[in-house]
C-alpha cells in the first residue's frame, strides 16, 4: 500500500456540519473501520479531537483532524480536495498524556488520562487549600485558590492559557503548573516543571473545603489527594498540515496579545 492509498476512517462530532462532512468525505475516499484504518480523520472541534485522542491512545493510529466545530486549535483547516496528499505530507507530532491517580474522601482510587490538563477546582463557595509537592518534596505548604492545574504542552493553549499560564511548544520537555485565581500566596504565578516530575496535591480541610479533580472531561468529586505525572507508555500521533504546523500555531498565539 502506498502512502497515498492509506486506509481512512472518518469520525465525526455530534453536529450536523460534522455529520455531513463525514458523509461527503466517506463517499470521496472510502470508509474503513477504525481498527483497519491507517489514519483516523476526526471531524469536529477541539473537544471532539480530545475525545478521539483519548479513545485511540496507545493504539498506534495516527489522527488527522479537520475543523467542523467552534474551536479548532488542534484541527487542520477543513477542505475536501486532495485529502490523501495532505495527510501524506502532514507533520507528525507525538503527544504524551498525563496520568492522574486520585483518592476521594471514601478512600476510592481513580485513574484517568488527560491530553490537555489535570485540574483541581473548588467544589463550594469556600476557597480550596492545597499543599503541593514535587517529586516527594513539599514546595508549597498551602495554596489558597479557586484551583490549580498541571498542563501538557498540547493543553497549554487551553484552560492553562485562560488562567494566565505559559504557552509551551509541543516538543518542550516541560509541564506547566498553574494556579487558578490564587489568593495566598497572591503573587504566585505557578511554575515550569520537567516532564519527568511527579506532582502531588494534598487537599487541606477537605470536609470544609471540598475539591474536585478533572482529567480533561473525567471528573472525580471530593478528592483528598491527587498525583499527576506524564505517561511513559501511552502516546498518540497527531498530524498537522505542513503549511500550518503546531509550532507555527504556538508562535502565532504568543504574538496575538
Amino acid at each position: 500500500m502506498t502512502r497515498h492509498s492509506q486506509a481512512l476512517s472518518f469520525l465525526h462530532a455530534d453536529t450536523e456540519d460534522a455529520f455531513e462532512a463525514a458523509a461527503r468525505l466517506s463517499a470521496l475516499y472510502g470508509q474503513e473501520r477504525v481498527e483497519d484504518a491507517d489514519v483516523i480523520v476526526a471531524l469536529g472541534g477541539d473537544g471532539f479531537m480530545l475525545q478521539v485522542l483519548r479513545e485511540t491512545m496507545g493504539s498506534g493510529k495516527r489522527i488527522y483532524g479537520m475543523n467542523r466545530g467552534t474551536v479548532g486549535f488542534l484541527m487542520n483547516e477543513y477542505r475536501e480536495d486532495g485529502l490523501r496528499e495532505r495527510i501524506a505530507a502532514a507533520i507528525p507530532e507525538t503527544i504524551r498524556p498525563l496520568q492522574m491517580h486520585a483518592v476521594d474522601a471514601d478512600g476510592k482510587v481513580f485513574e484517568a488520562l488527560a491530553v490537555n490538563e489535570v485540574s483541581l477546582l473548588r467544589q463550594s463557595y469556600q476557597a480550596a487549600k492545597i499543599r503541593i509537592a514535587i517529586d516527594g518534596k513539599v514546595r508549597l505548604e498551602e495554596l489558597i485558590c479557586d484551583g490549580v492545574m498541571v498542563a501538557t504542552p498540547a493543553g497549554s493553549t487551553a484552560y492553562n492559557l485562560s488562567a494566565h499560564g505559559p504557552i509551551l511548544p509541543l516538543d518542550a520537555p516541560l509541564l506547566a503548573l498553574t494556579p487558578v485565581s490564587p489568593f495566598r500566596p497572591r503573587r504566585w504565578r505557578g511554575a515550569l516543571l520537567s516532564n519527568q516530575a511527579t506532582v502531588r496535591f494534598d487537599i487541606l480541610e477537605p470536609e470544609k473545603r471540598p475539591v474536585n479533580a478533572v482529567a480533561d472531561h473525567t471528573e472525580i468529586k471530593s478528592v483528598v489527594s491527587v498525583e499527576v505525572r506524564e505517561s511513559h507508555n501511552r502516546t498518540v500521533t497527531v498530524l498537522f498540515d505542513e503549511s500550518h504546523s503546531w509550532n507555527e500555531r504556538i508562535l502565532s498565539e504568543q504574538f496575538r496579545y
Side-chain angles (χ1 to χ4, degrees):
M1 181 178 290
T2 65
R3 292 183 75 193
H4 283 219
S5 60
Q6 295 177 98
L8 306 180
S9 180
F10 297 94
L11 300 181
H12 62 84
D14 190 22
T15 66
E16 184 175 351
D17 283 349
F19 176 83
E20 292 177 353
R24 291 194 298 269
L25 291 168
S26 297
L28 287 170
Y29 298 102
Q31 170 75 324
E32 297 289 340
R33 297 185 306 169
V34 169
E35 54 267 33
D36 297 329
D38 299 305
V39 177
I40 295 171
V41 180
L43 302 163
D46 282 350
F48 180 68
M49 184 66 159
L50 288 174
Q51 175 186 328
V52 173
L53 294 180
R54 285 193 301 273
E55 291 175 352
T56 58
M57 193 72 62
S59 68
K61 303 294 183 184
R62 292 174 295 156
I63 316 299
Y64 182 88
M66 285 201 291
N67 191 13
R68 289 283 84 187
T70 54
V71 179
F73 197 84
L74 291 170
M75 315 300 277
N76 298 292
E77 179 186 351
Y78 180 79
R79 295 200 313 269
E80 295 179 7
D81 59 301
L83 180 58
R84 292 192 186 277
E85 291 74 16
R86 289 174 67 189
I87 291 174
I91 298 170
E93 298 283 3
T94 299
I95 291 178
R96 294 183 181 275
L98 297 172
Q99 289 180 292
M100 179 183 76
H101 176 95
V103 180
D104 73 5
D106 295 324
K108 294 181 181 178
V109 176
F110 299 86
E111 304 278 351
L113 294 175
V115 175
N116 269 359
E117 75 278 319
V118 171
S119 54
L120 278 68
L121 302 168
R122 66 173 180 156
Q123 189 176 317
S124 70
Y125 69 92
Q126 292 271 23
K129 284 188 177 182
I130 302 172
R131 181 168 60 238
I132 301 175
I134 310 297
D135 294 330
K137 183 175 181 179
V138 174
R139 295 292 182 178
L140 198 54
E141 285 286 355
E142 183 179 274
L143 172 65
I144 304 176
C145 59
D146 282 351
V148 63
M149 76 186 78
V150 179
T152 66
S156 66
T157 56
Y159 188 19
N160 173 74
L161 181 59
S162 297
H164 308 292
I167 297 176
L168 304 176
L170 197 60
D171 56 357
L174 298 170
L175 300 174
L177 175 62
T178 302
V180 180
S181 301
F183 180 67
R184 291 285 188 275
R186 191 180 299 274
R187 295 185 179 180
W188 188 66
R189 292 294 178 262
L192 287 176
L193 306 176
S194 163
N195 63 346
Q196 300 301 307
T198 297
V199 185
R200 180 181 173 92
F201 302 102
D202 287 295
I203 310 308
L204 308 178
E205 304 177 29
E207 293 183 0
K208 180 181 179 182
R209 304 171 184 272
V211 169
N212 294 346
V214 183
D216 285 349
H217 297 106
T218 301
E219 184 174 21
I220 312 300
K221 293 187 178 298
S222 300
V223 296
V224 294
S225 68
V226 176
E227 284 193 352
V228 181
R229 64 173 61 87
E230 185 180 83
S231 174
H232 299 304
N233 55 11
R234 305 290 290 275
T235 63
V236 66
T237 300
V238 183
L239 302 174
F240 294 104
D241 287 339
E242 58 182 348
S243 61
H244 195 35
S245 69
W246 182 271
N247 284 336
E248 173 60 30
R249 297 177 202 206
I250 291 294
L251 284 171
S252 296
E253 194 74 20
Q254 291 182 87
F255 286 94
R256 186 171 294 177
Y257 301 99

